[in-house]
Amino acid sequence: MGKSCEIKLLGAAPSHFVNRVQFVLNLKSIEYEFIDENLNCKSELLLTSNPVHKKVPVLIHANKPPILESLIIIEYLDEVYHDIHPILPSDPLERAHNRFWANYIDTKYFALFEELRRTPGQEGKKEVKKQLDEASELLEEVFVKSSNGKAYFGGDDVGYIDVVLGCFLAWIKFVEKLNKFKIFDEVRTPKLLEWTNRIWSHEALKDAICGSEALTNHYAMLQIKKP
Amino acid sequence: MEKVKLLGTWPNPFVQRVVWALKLKGIEYEIIYEDRANKSELLKYNPIYKNAPVLVHNDIPICDSLVILEYIDETWKDASPLLPQDPLLKANERFWAKYGDEQVLSAVYGYYRKQGKDQEEARETTLAHLKCVEQLLNENNFMSGERVGFLDLAFGWLADYSRPLEMVGGVKLLDEDSFPKLCAWRDNFLKIPSINGSWPDQENLIARFQKSKQSLFG
């Protein structure tokens, strides 16, 4: 407990990239100070910590140089606090597969949601939804293979892909409600659907997820800034 | 005897960095170059992205060049470590490697693909990215420190391709006055036997780039 505030996390509640760092900090029972950034008016600390991208999350550990990018932060925390709730497996091949699928979620899968948001009209959105369905079915296969019959992608415990995809769920649920369709369902992605209920109620994730009002505001901001 | 196979296309900076990693660690491997127009093995082993490189180790494929580099480093731990032990230094190298791929490589390639006014307008942004990379080299010969490592391999395309791109594109980005450290790094990097000894050589690259400007990308 004596390590309180040794870790500072610069973040913003609606960012699932930030949420995943919070999830990992919670899983590893690491105390931290959360510095809430207003993304419309970024602080001096954020701008100097991340001059290249000017984005959250930023992790500052014991006043050492800041660590940037959510996946890089997670691997850092996993290496420093390796004894408590390991996030990545120890086997190099499994690590490679975890990293590959985390990248896939962050690039291809996430990009489809962005495309959905930016596509006007129902017909256009329908086409993107088809691609989203294919991608979700692919993730169902990944889940079946990774979990090996257990509760999470990481097996018995929450692992890397659980964190990466799990924190995106708030946004996924928001998108489902907005568009009146389902991303995960009993027919196409039954295992993933069960997994979403399981991870959504996980103790360590509950307070790392922001409410729908913040997401609605965030969505509205995106519609204006990146239409 | 472990079976290591690398599926690649050429020229391809993402494939080349894996070749260098395998050579630095003295790992025996077989490389199969496929044509971009006919890449049946790549499609089989990398159905998601359908591109190179793919490392096939004991018949199991690993895709994505930076993921492959870390896999190689973790599997063949004892020879020539690529990433540092310290988690903070490791995080730093991972960050800049990602920046290199997402920002610098696309800026440089984009610059050489443009012409006339478009190219002029792209020059300032491209140079700004290269300035960031120049700053990665402090007192050391290499981006990873005293010895060549992960970050050097990630940026190795800049050492390998910059002169051929300049020759074919007719415009110089890395001039010795503006980028003294990067130019020195380029020479040091290309002198390393494992780097130097692997195909292709600069003449071949120039000839290939000249043949088709569009083949600049993998």
Side-chain angles (χ1 to χ4, degrees):
Chain A
M1 286 302 221
K3 287 191 173 194
S4 61
C5 302
E6 194 178 70
I7 298 230
K8 289 182 174 47
L9 175 64
L10 277 69
S15 163
H16 63 97
F17 299 108
V18 172
N19 297 157
R20 49 172 78 153
V21 178
Q22 291 172 288
F23 192 8
V24 170
L25 288 163
N26 291 345
L27 284 166
K28 290 181 179 281
S29 306
I30 301 166
E31 281 189 26
Y32 64 99
E33 181 192 345
F34 185 75
I35 298 169
D36 206 351
E37 284 284 333
N38 177 354
L39 297 179
N40 292 316
C41 180
K42 293 172 182 176
S43 73
E44 195 55 39
L45 181 60
L46 175 58
L47 296 173
T48 49
S49 301
N50 191 354
V52 174
H53 299 303
K54 305 176 176 53
K55 283 183 183 175
V56 289
V58 174
L59 191 96
I60 302 171
H61 184 193
N63 296 317
K64 289 188 269 194
I67 303 138
L68 314 169
E69 302 281 314
S70 62
L71 297 183
I72 295 174
I73 294 171
I74 292 169
E75 291 223 31
Y76 171 82
L77 290 170
D78 212 28
E79 284 154 20
V80 174
Y81 300 92
H82 50 87
D83 294 334
I84 316 158
H85 197 126
I87 303 293
L88 273 164
S90 51
D91 174 70
L93 188 60
E94 284 177 40
R95 289 165 75 84
H97 286 157
N98 271 265
R99 286 169 177 147
F100 175 85
W101 288 111
N103 285 339
Y104 172 83
I105 291 164
D106 272 7
T107 53
K108 283 214 160 185
Y109 195 59
F110 185 54
L112 287 171
F113 283 88
E114 266 295 273
E115 200 185 330
L116 184 76
R117 180 181 69 76
R118 300 171 91 162
T119 304
Q122 287 308 308
E123 278 313 301
K125 284 196 197 284
K126 234 170 145 180
E127 280 311 303
V128 182
K129 175 66 165 56
K130 271 198 206 141
Q131 292 177 60
L132 258 173
D133 286 344
E134 276 173 31
S136 301
E137 284 161 39
L138 181 61
L139 290 176
E140 170 85 1
E141 282 174 35
V142 177
F143 179 80
V144 168
K145 200 166 170 217
S146 292
S147 64
N148 210 14
K150 303 214 171 125
Y152 300 102
F153 283 92
D156 285 318
D157 272 322
V158 167
Y160 195 59
I161 303 174
D162 298 284
V163 170
V164 170
L165 189 59
C167 290
F168 195 38
L169 277 178
W171 191 248
I172 291 177
K173 285 176 188 272
F174 177 82
V175 167
E176 283 180 329
K177 205 169 163 187
L178 188 73
N179 292 280
K180 299 189 179 60
F181 57 44
K182 288 283 171 203
I183 297 290
F184 301 129
D185 69 32
E186 298 88 356
V187 176
R188 293 177 295 103
T189 59
K191 294 286 177 203
L192 268 183
L193 187 65
E194 283 170 18
W195 168 82
T196 60
N197 294 328
R198 209 175 289 132
I199 198 134
W200 194 244
S201 56
H202 196 290
E203 267 313 303
L205 183 58
K206 276 197 200 144
D207 70 351
I209 292 283
C210 77
S212 58
E213 193 189 320
L215 281 177
T216 311
N217 293 337
H218 187 68
Y219 186 84
M221 183 199 75
L222 285 173
Q223 291 292 78
I224 297 166
K225 286 199 167 179
K226 298 186 200 178
Chain B
M1 174 71 180
E2 301 202 56
K3 224 172 59 170
V4 180
K5 197 162 74 170
L6 177 62
L7 301 176
T9 52
W10 185 80
N12 187 327
F14 306 106
V15 172
Q16 200 56 26
R17 60 175 60 146
V18 178
V19 169
W20 290 328
L22 291 166
K23 284 196 180 289
L24 279 168
K25 286 190 177 271
I27 300 164
E28 275 188 41
Y29 66 100
E30 179 198 353
I31 185 160
I32 298 165
Y33 284 105
E34 290 208 312
D35 204 274
R36 283 179 192 90
N38 177 19
K39 45 184 185 178
S40 52
E41 288 292 284
L42 279 170
L43 292 175
K44 175 176 138 197
Y45 283 111
N46 189 359
I48 309 287
Y49 296 106
K50 305 176 175 48
N51 61 14
V54 179
L55 189 81
V56 186
H57 185 201
N58 295 332
D59 294 322
I60 301 173
I62 301 117
C63 308
D64 191 320
S65 64
L66 293 179
V67 172
I68 295 171
L69 287 189
E70 295 222 31
Y71 173 78
I72 290 172
D73 208 27
E74 287 168 6
T75 308
W76 289 273
K77 279 198 278 267
D78 300 327
S80 290
L82 299 177
L83 274 166
Q85 285 297 310
D86 178 74
L88 191 62
L89 294 175
K90 222 188 260 197
N92 193 51
E93 291 206 18
R94 284 172 176 150
F95 174 79
W96 287 109
K98 193 167 180 239
Y99 171 79
D101 278 1
E102 288 176 358
Q103 312 280 343
V104 188
L105 194 148
S106 50
V108 170
Y109 272 57
Y111 176 78
Y112 280 108
R113 277 169 134 174
K114 292 183 167 86
Q115 284 172 30
K117 195 154 182 281
D118 283 342
Q119 195 181 59
E120 269 172 52
E121 283 170 7
R123 191 171 173 84
E124 211 180 297
T125 340
T126 315
L127 287 177
H129 284 305
L130 288 171
K131 276 252 147 25
C132 278
V133 185
E134 169 87 359
Q135 278 157 23
L136 292 177
L137 290 152
N138 300 315
E139 308 306 315
N140 298 305
N141 282 335
F142 298 105
M143 294 179 188
S144 296
E146 292 293 304
R147 292 177 307 116
V148 73
F150 181 78
L151 198 51
D152 301 283
L153 296 189
F155 276 102
W157 61 270
L158 195 54
D160 208 25
Y161 286 30
S162 52
R163 284 199 189 98
L165 284 171
E166 284 166 10
M167 289 283 305
V168 175
V171 202
K172 204 169 188 178
L173 275 175
L174 280 188
D175 80 83
E176 286 79 4
D177 289 330
S178 309
F179 300 102
K181 290 183 192 164
L182 258 181
C183 290
W185 166 81
R186 177 172 57 184
D187 291 337
N188 288 330
F189 185 76
L190 291 175
K191 270 192 209 136
I192 299 168
S194 304
I195 308 292
N196 187 279
S198 64
W199 190 66
D201 58 38
Q202 302 275 289
E203 298 301 321
N204 258 310
L205 270 178
I206 292 168
R208 180 58 185 258
F209 286 168
Q210 253 156 2
K211 194 173 164 193
S212 164
K213 265 195 169 177
Q214 282 308 107
S215 79
L216 281 180
F217 238 128

